[in-house]
Amino acid sequence: MKNKSNLLLLSTLIGGLLFSYIFWKEWLALNQLIYSAFIIAVTIFNSEVIKSTKFKVYALAHLLAAALMVVNNSALSAVTYYISLVLFVGFAHYQAVRTIYIAGMATVMQMITVPATLLKRLSDIQIGKFNLKPFLRPIKYIILPLIILFVFTAIYSGANDVFAHYLELIFTNISNFFNDIFGFIFQDLSLPRFLHFCLGILVTAGLIITFYNKSIEKIEATCSESLLRIRRSQKPKSIWYEVAHTFTSQIITKKMALKTEYIIGLISFISLNLLLLSVNLIDISTLWFGYKPAGNFSADLHDGTNALIFSIILAMAVILYFFRGNLNFYSKSKTLKILAIAWMVQNFILIISVFIRDGYYIEFYGLTHKRIGVLVFAMLCTIGLGTVYIKVAKQKTLFYLFKVNGNIWFALLLAFSLINWDVFIVKYNLAKSEQVGVDADYLLSLSDKTLPILNKNRSKLHYTPSKKLYEREIAKPQTADFYRDQLDRRIGYFKERYQEVSWLSWNLQDWKTAEYFGLNKK
């Protein structure tokens, strides 16, 4: 155990140095892949971590996300990178965990408890008869008071400007004092750089050293994926039940009989099926075939799509409520299940209407991140309905639903990160500039990787009269000079930024943009 602690602490120190070297004043790109490779390598050699199939899957998933940061370097790939890192650490160190949610909680807990974990590991260090335990024991008495002091200092400084002013003076003087000391002893080391190194140690320790208390794994231990019929009289009474029973007798706490619940569900699903059938028939007749925009086209599409997505989520919640327990085992529940499945099919038709609405929106107005997001969300709703069907048909639990959907969502997140959406949006909108009004303000707000495409299509960003479609305006461009100046400023900013960073910030998209504008990195 002591040799393991020594190895992990040495890896933490090396990780802190690596963190400070590759991230200091750099953009996130190739350096993230290097750091991830280091974390995964240390975890592989950590004998405390079991190298299971789950470990290998999430390690490869995180490496893919890190590689996508180098290839695409988009906001979505950055989100995917951090989520995959959190899940990899959670599943690697807590392999009894089954869902991505608890894996994420485990990683957060491990990061928060880094100081306690480091103290415990440092106390295990022993060289001959020498160990650090006697020196570290007093530290445990001051950690909590320091945290409390920090919290209340922040509160008081926010409440009192004079106190905040004096506090700022004190910290400025302390900072200058240590800067002078570091500058005198280490000419190339400043206090901010030292603090960055300390941050690297804490981050690395949180990612590679397992928290000694694995009680979080017990959260899922009692969760089953298949429903079991439980006699109501055998269910333990909760604190809420006892309190409610004390004040209200049986008015609130008395549960509906299974037959009563079945009849309520039957009436609900018959009514909802008839209601949704009328909505779907109207959509099929007016939206699916021969649709013509009229009135406030944009608002109608936007509000209608939002309402439909909300209704689909609510529909899944209603189904989950009625099939949450013993109603699944009721002898007459087959009819209720058929009605619920019919409602799911109708909700699937509703999702098709969402796709069609968003398709019209894209056809008339062009692509944006939000419109792509609607398509993705509708796809997730489709998958959600599919898993809800499995839950009802196979008598699965809510835990099963969360587990399966969580894994699917993460897989889709990785898949969508493969696409360079900014470039895709700009290429599509400019290619369709004759059919849709080009929103130049939006296109110029996208990332630097789109600059070569925008520069090639400067002529499509000039001023044109507002285009109309079915008597509705769909674009209100600014002047040509405005867009030309804005594009030139964006190009100039990119050139300055590109020259300021080293090879550690290299990514494929910036390299392509630099090549287009003739920038040579030396």
Side-chain angles (χ1 to χ4, degrees):
M1 178 66 184
K2 293 175 181 178
N3 289 333
K4 293 177 184 176
S5 295
N6 293 347
L7 177 62
L8 287 174
L9 289 172
L10 178 61
S11 299
T12 299
L13 180 61
I14 295 172
L17 291 169
L18 179 67
F19 183 93
S20 180
Y21 174 70
I22 64 177
F23 290 120
W24 180 253
K25 293 183 178 180
E26 296 287 347
W27 289 76
L28 300 179
L30 180 62
N31 43 15
Q32 286 184 299
L33 179 60
I34 296 171
Y35 187 70
S36 293
F38 171 79
I39 295 297
I40 292 174
V42 172
T43 309
I44 289 173
F45 287 106
N46 184 357
S47 58
E48 297 176 5
V49 176
I50 301 172
K51 314 310 180 294
S52 63
T53 302
K54 186 187 298 185
F55 171 88
K56 295 172 184 176
V57 167
Y58 280 93
L60 289 174
H62 179 57
L63 274 180
L64 173 60
L68 289 174
M69 276 300 297
V70 180
V71 175
N72 285 338
N73 201 251
S74 63
L76 181 61
S77 60
V79 171
T80 306
Y81 172 85
Y82 290 115
I83 291 177
S84 65
L85 176 60
V86 166
L87 296 183
F88 165 70
V89 172
F91 282 118
H93 294 273
Y94 306 88
Q95 296 200 14
V97 169
R98 289 174 285 170
T99 64
I100 63 172
Y101 319 104
I102 302 299
M105 288 174 56
T107 303
V108 171
M109 183 191 71
Q110 185 165 297
M111 297 294 292
I112 293 173
T113 56
V114 160
T117 304
L118 281 176
L119 285 176
K120 190 175 187 306
R121 294 285 180 169
L122 286 169
S123 65
D124 291 334
I125 293 180
Q126 187 167 348
I127 303 174
K129 294 183 179 181
F130 175 78
N131 65 77
L132 295 174
K133 190 175 292 185
F135 302 97
L136 297 175
R137 189 176 291 117
I139 296 178
K140 66 181 181 181
Y141 299 113
I142 65 173
I143 290 179
L144 184 59
L146 282 176
I147 294 174
I148 296 173
L149 182 65
F150 174 79
V151 171
F152 278 94
T153 300
I155 293 172
Y156 296 149
S157 63
N160 191 312
D161 292 338
V162 177
F163 177 77
H165 172 70
Y166 285 114
L167 193 67
E168 183 180 359
L169 287 177
I170 292 171
F171 279 116
T172 300
N173 290 329
I174 293 173
S175 175
N176 292 335
F177 172 75
F178 280 105
N179 271 326
D180 292 339
I181 291 177
F182 276 99
F184 178 75
I185 300 175
F186 308 103
Q187 292 184 356
D188 296 328
L189 183 63
S190 62
L191 178 61
R193 186 67 184 272
F194 177 75
L195 294 176
H196 189 258
F197 163 69
C198 293
L199 175 64
I201 287 179
L202 291 176
V203 171
T204 305
L207 295 176
I208 67 174
I209 302 179
T210 308
F211 182 50
Y212 52 83
N213 187 343
K214 289 192 175 185
S215 59
I216 196 169
E217 291 180 331
K218 298 177 183 177
I219 295 176
E220 286 185 348
T222 57
C223 296
S224 173
E225 295 186 26
S226 298
L227 278 171
L228 299 174
R229 185 170 187 176
I230 302 174
R231 298 292 179 184
R232 290 183 173 182
S233 59
Q234 297 175 358
K235 289 184 179 180
K237 302 296 188 294
S238 64
I239 295 175
W240 157 248
Y241 178 92
E242 297 296 344
V243 173
H245 184 76
T246 300
F247 290 99
T248 64
S249 184
Q250 294 184 346
I251 296 174
I252 294 178
T253 57
K254 185 178 181 180
K255 295 188 177 180
M256 291 183 291
L258 205 58
K259 184 177 179 180
T260 304
E261 192 172 348
Y262 166 76
I263 294 172
I264 292 173
L266 203 64
I267 295 171
S268 299
F269 281 117
I270 290 173
S271 305
L272 289 169
N273 268 294
L274 292 173
L275 179 65
L276 188 51
L277 179 61
S278 63
V279 173
N280 282 332
L281 288 175
I282 292 171
D283 271 349
I284 291 172
S285 61
T286 61
L287 181 69
W288 290 29
F289 306 106
Y291 177 71
K292 290 185 179 181
N296 194 345
F297 173 58
S298 176
D300 289 344
L301 279 180
H302 192 270
D303 296 340
T305 302
N306 290 340
L308 291 180
I309 288 175
F310 177 73
S311 71
I312 293 163
I313 296 172
L314 198 60
M316 289 189 282
V318 170
I319 294 170
L320 292 176
Y321 171 77
F322 280 105
F323 291 94
R324 70 194 185 281
N326 287 344
L327 197 58
N328 290 273
F329 306 99
Y330 186 53
S331 58
K332 299 179 180 179
S333 65
K334 185 177 180 180
T335 304
L336 192 64
K337 288 183 179 180
I338 292 172
L339 288 170
I341 291 170
W343 200 37
M344 290 183 213
V345 172
Q346 290 214 73
N347 274 280
F348 176 72
I349 295 172
L350 199 62
I351 291 174
I352 296 175
S353 296
V354 171
F355 278 114
I356 293 173
R357 274 183 168 85
D358 202 46
Y360 281 131
Y361 210 133
I362 292 170
E363 180 184 352
F364 299 143
Y365 289 89
L367 272 177
T368 64
H369 285 97
K370 288 184 179 179
R371 289 159 205 167
I372 293 172
V374 170
L375 295 176
V376 172
F377 205 84
M379 185 186 302
L380 294 178
C381 286
T382 306
I383 294 169
L385 279 174
T387 54
V388 168
Y389 167 77
I390 295 173
K391 183 232 181 306
V392 173
K394 303 294 184 181
Q395 297 178 346
K396 297 293 185 179
T397 62
L398 191 61
F399 174 78
Y400 165 84
L401 210 61
F402 281 122
K403 175 189 172 183
V404 172
N405 279 288
N407 292 333
I408 293 173
W409 294 344
F410 178 62
L412 287 176
L413 183 64
L414 276 174
F416 290 134
S417 298
L418 294 170
I419 302 172
N420 197 326
W421 291 107
D422 282 8
V423 173
F424 182 79
I425 288 170
V426 171
K427 284 183 176 180
Y428 177 89
N429 288 348
L430 292 176
K432 300 285 185 179
S433 60
E434 297 300 323
Q435 289 81 34
V436 301
V438 175
D439 188 349
D441 291 305
Y442 174 73
L443 298 183
L444 287 167
S445 70
L446 299 178
S447 59
D448 290 341
K449 59 181 70 72
T450 63
L451 292 178
I453 305 170
L454 293 173
N455 194 57
K456 289 176 184 177
N457 293 274
R458 280 176 177 262
S459 59
K460 294 183 179 181
L461 301 178
H462 65 75
Y463 173 80
T464 55
S466 297
K467 293 189 178 184
K468 289 188 176 183
L469 183 67
Y470 298 103
E471 303 304 320
R472 303 302 304 172
E473 287 189 351
I474 59 175
K476 293 182 179 179
Q478 294 283 349
T479 63
D481 290 338
F482 175 84
Y483 291 132
R484 183 169 55 249
D485 293 343
Q486 191 173 354
L487 180 58
D488 289 338
R489 284 195 299 270
R490 286 283 310 280
I491 294 171
Y493 172 75
F494 169 77
K495 291 179 178 179
E496 291 177 5
R497 178 180 69 85
Y498 190 74
Q499 298 292 346
E500 289 174 355
V501 295
S502 70
W503 63 273
L504 292 166
S505 299
W506 188 91
N507 66 82
L508 182 61
Q509 299 303 321
D510 278 359
W511 179 80
K512 285 183 177 179
T513 304
E515 282 290 304
Y516 175 83
F517 290 113
L519 301 177
N520 296 316
K521 294 286 289 180
K522 296 181 180 180

